[in-house]
Amino acid sequence: MQAKFRHGNPLMVDYTPSGAVAAGDVVVIGSVPFVAHNAIAADKLGALAARGGVYRGVGTNGVTEGEEVFWDDTANTFEDANTAPSGSPHFGYACPGQTAGNPTGEIDVIHAPNGTTA
């Protein structure tokens, strides 16, 4: 699981993947990271979260509360602007009280790609 839904009211959009998608997968379409709440079989209609909600995932040590967070689609991690690979899509903002230096390395992130709000 790449991004675990914690709470909130995400905006869900229809999505039919060409390959199977697991629950919690972050699916990057164009420059926007979407999140699958449920598994979606290949070529079957499902839904992805387009924005809104709070998600937990692995973050790098550079991420701190309130900071912009980007999705590293290769490492499947949340990154800050200094550590994100070039072209990584903007995922949202680190929640208050979050730092990737915690013992588990997991952080909570508000899903607001490209500054969108729920």
Side-chain angles (χ1 to χ4, degrees):
M1 178 171 294
Q2 299 170 4
K4 181 180 180 183
F5 179 65
R6 304 274 290 152
H7 54 80
N9 290 318
L11 170 67
M12 303 301 285
V13 296
D14 289 344
Y15 179 66
T16 304
S18 58
V21 174
D25 278 1
V26 175
V27 178
V28 178
I29 301 171
S31 63
V32 180
F34 296 84
V35 182
H37 281 215
N38 299 301
I40 308 171
D43 301 316
K44 299 293 181 185
L45 179 63
L48 299 175
R51 66 175 186 250
V54 173
Y55 295 85
R56 176 166 286 175
V58 175
T60 60
N61 287 331
V63 178
T64 59
E65 64 182 352
E67 185 175 28
E68 288 187 294
V69 175
F70 297 82
W71 179 251
D72 181 339
D73 204 30
T74 301
N76 295 327
T77 56
F78 293 122
E79 306 279 342
D80 70 359
N82 296 318
T83 60
S86 177
S88 294
H90 181 264
F91 189 93
Y93 302 90
C95 288
Q98 299 300 300
T99 175
N102 67 50
T104 66
E106 292 185 334
I107 59 170
D108 290 341
V109 179
I110 301 164
H111 190 208
N114 303 313
T116 61
T117 58

